Amino acid sequence: SYELTQPPSVSVSPGQTASITCSGDKLGDKYVYWYQQKAGQSPVVVIYQDRKRPSGIPERFSGSNSGNTATLTISGTQAMDEAEYYCQAWDSSTVVFGGGTKLTVL
Amino acid sequence: QLQLQESGPGLVKPSETLSLTCTVSSDSVSSNNYYWGWIRQPPGKGLEWIGSMYYGGSTYYNPSLKSRVAISVVTSKNHFSLKLSSVTAADTAVYYCARQRSGSYTLEYFDYWGQGTLVTVSS
């Protein structure tokens, strides 16, 4: 079965850039989606189709996907961005989620 | 604004069947280009996709759960349901329902989620 691998945790200082990776075999050939889940809340999509932002998502969120790695980048990270982030893809008729990355804004 | 609301028992006994319903407001489960899905999250763990269904009948399930799962869409009530049989403690989780966008050849992302409901499997 297809697997998506994320680092368990990433730390960033306020105002700096945070990068969260998601790795999978030939991931660049698939669309990747990113969700933000704050404590006690439902996930919210922040990036779809690799790099598109839904309405209402701040411009500081961006995405890329090439080769075996997709990356969610948060520029000018704010305290409110502290959350768990999950990548998701579609492979062989199944939805696959990454294990999640806890973003800590120190 | 689309809203989804999960409902069902919060406690299920081992070996029994977990049944949940998701009621959809401000949209129709018969909408084109959308699937309706279930995702779960064990306490303190990550997201696990359970399955997704189109009102016309097309269904996709997580292979690891496929033998125990059934999702149905009831257009007359504008809701969809999840049944998970032979549950164990490992099925204890927050269960989310969500709307999923579909592309030409793929299912895409979940754009609206319910608030989630905790189901505990215990005797």
Coordinates of all heavy atoms in Angstrom, one line a residue, chain B residues 44-91:
Chain B
G44 N -5.2 11.0 20.1 CA -3.7 11.3 20.1 C -3.0 10.9 18.8 O -1.8 10.9 18.8
K45 N -3.8 10.4 17.9 CA -3.1 9.8 16.7 C -3.5 10.6 15.4 O -4.3 11.6 15.5 CB -3.4 8.3 16.5 CG -2.8 7.5 17.7 CD -3.0 6.0 17.4 CE -2.3 5.2 18.6 NZ -2.4 3.8 18.4
G46 N -3.1 10.1 14.3 CA -3.4 10.7 13.0 C -4.7 10.4 12.4 O -5.5 9.6 12.9
L47 N -4.9 10.9 11.2 CA -6.1 10.7 10.4 C -6.1 9.4 9.6 O -5.1 9.1 9.1 CB -6.4 11.9 9.4 CG -6.5 13.3 10.0 CD1 -6.5 14.3 8.9 CD2 -7.7 13.4 10.9
E48 N -7.2 8.7 9.6 CA -7.3 7.5 8.8 C -8.6 7.5 8.0 O -9.7 7.7 8.6 CB -7.3 6.2 9.7 CG -7.4 4.9 9.0 CD -7.5 3.7 9.8 OE1 -8.0 3.8 11.0 OE2 -7.0 2.6 9.4
W49 N -8.5 7.4 6.7 CA -9.6 7.4 5.8 C -10.3 6.1 5.9 O -9.7 5.0 5.9 CB -9.1 7.7 4.4 CG -10.2 7.5 3.3 CD1 -11.2 8.3 3.1 CD2 -10.2 6.5 2.3 NE1 -12.0 7.9 2.0 CE2 -11.3 6.8 1.5 CE3 -9.4 5.4 2.0 CZ2 -11.7 6.0 0.4 CZ3 -9.7 4.7 0.9 CH2 -10.9 5.0 0.1
I50 N -11.7 6.1 6.0 CA -12.5 4.9 6.1 C -13.0 4.6 4.7 O -13.0 3.4 4.3 CB -13.6 5.1 7.1 CG1 -13.0 5.3 8.5 CG2 -14.5 3.8 7.1 CD1 -14.0 5.7 9.6
G51 N -13.7 5.6 4.1 CA -14.2 5.3 2.8 C -15.0 6.5 2.3 O -15.3 7.4 3.1
S52 N -15.4 6.5 1.0 CA -16.1 7.6 0.4 C -17.1 7.0 -0.6 O -16.8 6.0 -1.3 CB -15.1 8.5 -0.4 OG -14.2 9.1 0.5
M53 N -18.3 7.7 -0.7 CA -19.3 7.2 -1.6 C -20.0 8.3 -2.4 O -20.2 9.4 -1.8 CB -20.4 6.5 -0.8 CG -21.5 5.9 -1.6 SD -22.6 4.9 -0.6 CE -23.6 4.2 -2.0
Y54 N -20.3 8.1 -3.6 CA -21.1 9.0 -4.5 C -22.5 8.5 -4.4 O -22.8 7.3 -4.3 CB -20.5 8.9 -5.9 CG -21.1 9.9 -6.9 CD1 -20.8 11.2 -6.7 CD2 -21.9 9.4 -7.9 CE1 -21.4 12.1 -7.6 CE2 -22.4 10.4 -8.8 CZ -22.1 11.7 -8.7 OH -22.6 12.6 -9.6
Y55 N -23.4 9.5 -4.5 CA -24.8 9.2 -4.3 C -25.3 8.2 -5.4 O -26.2 7.4 -5.1 CB -25.7 10.4 -4.4 CG -26.0 11.0 -5.8 CD1 -27.2 10.6 -6.4 CD2 -25.1 11.8 -6.5 CE1 -27.5 11.1 -7.7 CE2 -25.4 12.3 -7.7 CZ -26.6 11.9 -8.3 OH -26.9 12.4 -9.6
G56 N -24.6 8.2 -6.5 CA -25.0 7.3 -7.6 C -24.6 5.8 -7.3 O -24.9 4.9 -8.1
G57 N -23.8 5.6 -6.3 CA -23.4 4.2 -5.9 C -22.0 3.9 -5.9 O -21.5 3.0 -5.2
S58 N -21.2 4.7 -6.6 CA -19.7 4.4 -6.6 C -19.1 4.6 -5.2 O -19.4 5.6 -4.5 CB -19.0 5.4 -7.6 OG -17.6 5.2 -7.5
T59 N -18.4 3.6 -4.8 CA -17.9 3.6 -3.4 C -16.4 3.1 -3.4 O -16.0 2.2 -4.1 CB -18.7 2.6 -2.5 OG1 -20.1 2.9 -2.7 CG2 -18.3 2.8 -1.1
Y60 N -15.6 3.8 -2.5 CA -14.2 3.4 -2.3 C -14.0 3.2 -0.8 O -14.5 4.0 0.0 CB -13.3 4.5 -2.8 CG -13.4 4.8 -4.3 CD1 -14.2 5.8 -4.8 CD2 -12.6 4.0 -5.2 CE1 -14.2 6.0 -6.2 CE2 -12.7 4.2 -6.6 CZ -13.5 5.3 -7.0 OH -13.5 5.5 -8.4
Y61 N -13.3 2.2 -0.5 CA -13.1 1.9 0.9 C -11.6 1.7 1.2 O -10.8 1.2 0.3 CB -13.8 0.6 1.4 CG -15.3 0.6 1.4 CD1 -16.1 -0.3 0.7 CD2 -15.9 1.7 2.1 CE1 -17.4 -0.3 0.8 CE2 -17.3 1.7 2.1 CZ -18.1 0.7 1.5 OH -19.4 0.8 1.5
N62 N -11.2 2.0 2.4 CA -9.8 1.7 2.8 C -9.7 0.2 2.8 O -10.4 -0.5 3.5 CB -9.6 2.2 4.3 CG -8.2 2.1 4.8 OD1 -7.5 1.1 4.5 ND2 -7.8 3.0 5.6
P63 N -8.7 -0.3 2.1 CA -8.5 -1.8 2.0 C -8.4 -2.5 3.4 O -8.8 -3.6 3.5 CB -7.2 -2.0 1.2 CG -7.1 -0.7 0.4 CD -7.7 0.4 1.3
S64 N -7.8 -1.8 4.4 CA -7.6 -2.4 5.7 C -8.9 -2.5 6.5 O -9.0 -3.3 7.5 CB -6.6 -1.6 6.5 OG -7.1 -0.3 6.8
L65 N -10.0 -1.8 6.0 CA -11.2 -1.9 6.7 C -12.4 -2.4 5.9 O -13.5 -2.7 6.4 CB -11.6 -0.5 7.2 CG -10.7 0.2 8.2 CD1 -11.1 1.7 8.3 CD2 -10.7 -0.5 9.5
K66 N -12.1 -2.6 4.6 CA -13.1 -2.9 3.6 C -14.0 -4.1 4.0 O -15.2 -4.0 3.8 CB -12.4 -3.3 2.3 CG -13.4 -3.4 1.1 CD -12.7 -3.6 -0.2 CE -13.6 -3.7 -1.4 NZ -12.9 -3.8 -2.7
S67 N -13.5 -5.1 4.6 CA -14.3 -6.3 5.0 C -15.3 -6.0 6.1 O -16.3 -6.7 6.3 CB -13.4 -7.4 5.4 OG -12.7 -7.1 6.6
R68 N -15.2 -4.9 6.8 CA -16.1 -4.6 7.9 C -16.9 -3.3 7.7 O -17.7 -3.0 8.5 CB -15.2 -4.4 9.2 CG -14.5 -5.6 9.6 CD -13.9 -5.4 11.0 NE -12.9 -4.4 11.2 CZ -12.9 -3.4 12.1 NH1 -14.0 -3.3 12.9 NH2 -11.9 -2.6 12.2
V69 N -16.7 -2.6 6.6 CA -17.3 -1.3 6.4 C -18.4 -1.3 5.4 O -18.3 -1.9 4.3 CB -16.2 -0.2 6.0 CG1 -16.8 1.1 5.7 CG2 -15.2 -0.1 7.1
A70 N -19.4 -0.5 5.6 CA -20.4 -0.2 4.6 C -20.8 1.3 4.8 O -21.2 1.7 5.9 CB -21.6 -1.1 4.8
I71 N -20.8 2.0 3.6 CA -21.3 3.4 3.6 C -22.4 3.5 2.7 O -22.4 2.9 1.6 CB -20.1 4.3 3.1 CG1 -19.0 4.3 4.1 CG2 -20.7 5.8 2.9 CD1 -17.8 5.2 3.7
S72 N -23.5 4.2 3.1 CA -24.6 4.4 2.2 C -25.1 5.8 2.2 O -24.8 6.6 3.2 CB -25.8 3.5 2.8 OG -26.1 3.8 4.1
V73 N -25.7 6.2 1.1 CA -26.2 7.6 1.0 C -27.7 7.5 0.9 O -28.2 6.7 0.0 CB -25.6 8.3 -0.2 CG1 -26.3 9.7 -0.4 CG2 -24.1 8.4 -0.1
V74 N -28.4 8.2 1.7 CA -29.9 8.3 1.6 C -30.3 9.6 1.1 O -30.4 10.6 1.9 CB -30.5 8.0 3.0 CG1 -32.0 7.9 2.9 CG2 -30.0 6.7 3.6
T75 N -30.6 9.7 -0.1 CA -30.9 11.0 -0.7 C -32.2 11.6 -0.2 O -32.3 12.9 0.0 CB -31.0 10.9 -2.3 OG1 -32.0 9.9 -2.6 CG2 -29.7 10.5 -2.8
S76 N -33.2 10.8 0.1 CA -34.5 11.3 0.6 C -34.3 12.0 2.0 O -35.1 12.9 2.3 CB -35.5 10.2 0.8 OG -35.0 9.2 1.7
K77 N -33.3 11.6 2.7 CA -33.1 12.3 4.0 C -31.9 13.2 4.0 O -31.6 13.8 5.1 CB -32.9 11.2 5.1 CG -34.2 10.3 5.3 CD -34.0 9.4 6.5 CE -35.3 8.6 6.7 NZ -35.1 7.6 7.9
N78 N -31.3 13.3 2.9 CA -30.1 14.1 2.7 C -29.0 13.8 3.8 O -28.4 14.7 4.4 CB -30.4 15.6 2.8 CG -29.4 16.4 1.9 OD1 -29.1 16.0 0.8 ND2 -29.0 17.6 2.4
H79 N -28.8 12.5 4.0 CA -27.7 12.1 4.9 C -27.0 10.9 4.3 O -27.4 10.3 3.4 CB -28.2 11.9 6.3 CG -29.1 10.7 6.5 ND1 -30.1 10.6 7.5 CD2 -29.0 9.4 6.0 CE1 -30.6 9.4 7.5 NE2 -29.9 8.7 6.6
F80 N -25.9 10.6 4.9 CA -25.2 9.4 4.6 C -24.7 8.7 5.9 O -24.6 9.4 6.9 CB -24.0 9.6 3.6 CG -22.9 10.6 4.1 CD1 -21.7 10.1 4.5 CD2 -23.1 11.9 4.1 CE1 -20.7 10.9 4.9 CE2 -22.1 12.8 4.5 CZ -20.9 12.3 4.9
S81 N -24.4 7.4 5.8 CA -24.2 6.6 7.0 C -23.0 5.7 6.9 O -22.5 5.4 5.8 CB -25.4 5.7 7.3 OG -26.6 6.5 7.5
L82 N -22.5 5.4 8.1 CA -21.4 4.5 8.2 C -21.7 3.3 9.1 O -22.3 3.5 10.2 CB -20.2 5.2 8.8 CG -19.0 4.4 9.3 CD1 -18.3 3.8 8.1 CD2 -18.0 5.2 10.2
K83 N -21.4 2.1 8.7 CA -21.5 0.9 9.5 C -20.2 0.2 9.5 O -19.6 0.0 8.5 CB -22.6 0.0 9.1 CG -24.0 0.6 9.2 CD -25.1 -0.5 8.9 CE -26.5 0.1 9.0 NZ -26.8 0.6 10.4
L84 N -19.7 0.0 10.7 CA -18.4 -0.7 10.9 C -18.7 -1.9 11.9 O -19.1 -1.7 13.0 CB -17.4 0.2 11.5 CG -16.0 -0.4 11.8 CD1 -15.3 -0.8 10.5 CD2 -15.1 0.6 12.6
S85 N -18.5 -3.1 11.3 CA -18.9 -4.3 12.1 C -17.7 -4.9 12.9 O -16.6 -4.5 12.7 CB -19.4 -5.4 11.1 OG -18.4 -5.8 10.2
S86 N -18.1 -5.7 13.8 CA -17.1 -6.5 14.6 C -16.0 -5.6 15.2 O -14.8 -5.8 15.1 CB -16.4 -7.6 13.7 OG -17.3 -8.4 13.2
V87 N -16.5 -4.5 15.9 CA -15.5 -3.5 16.4 C -14.7 -4.1 17.6 O -15.2 -5.0 18.3 CB -16.3 -2.2 16.8 CG1 -16.9 -1.6 15.6 CG2 -17.3 -2.5 17.9
T88 N -13.6 -3.5 17.8 CA -12.7 -3.8 18.9 C -12.3 -2.5 19.5 O -12.5 -1.4 18.9 CB -11.5 -4.6 18.5 OG1 -10.6 -3.8 17.7 CG2 -11.8 -5.9 17.7
A89 N -11.5 -2.5 20.6 CA -11.0 -1.3 21.2 C -10.2 -0.5 20.2 O -10.1 0.8 20.3 CB -10.2 -1.6 22.4
A90 N -9.6 -1.1 19.2 CA -8.8 -0.4 18.2 C -9.6 0.5 17.4 O -9.1 1.4 16.6 CB -8.0 -1.4 17.4
D91 N -10.9 0.4 17.4 CA -11.8 1.2 16.6 C -12.3 2.4 17.4 O -13.0 3.3 16.8 CB -13.0 0.4 16.1 CG -12.7 -0.7 15.2 OD1 -11.9 -0.4 14.2 OD2 -13.1 -1.9 15.4

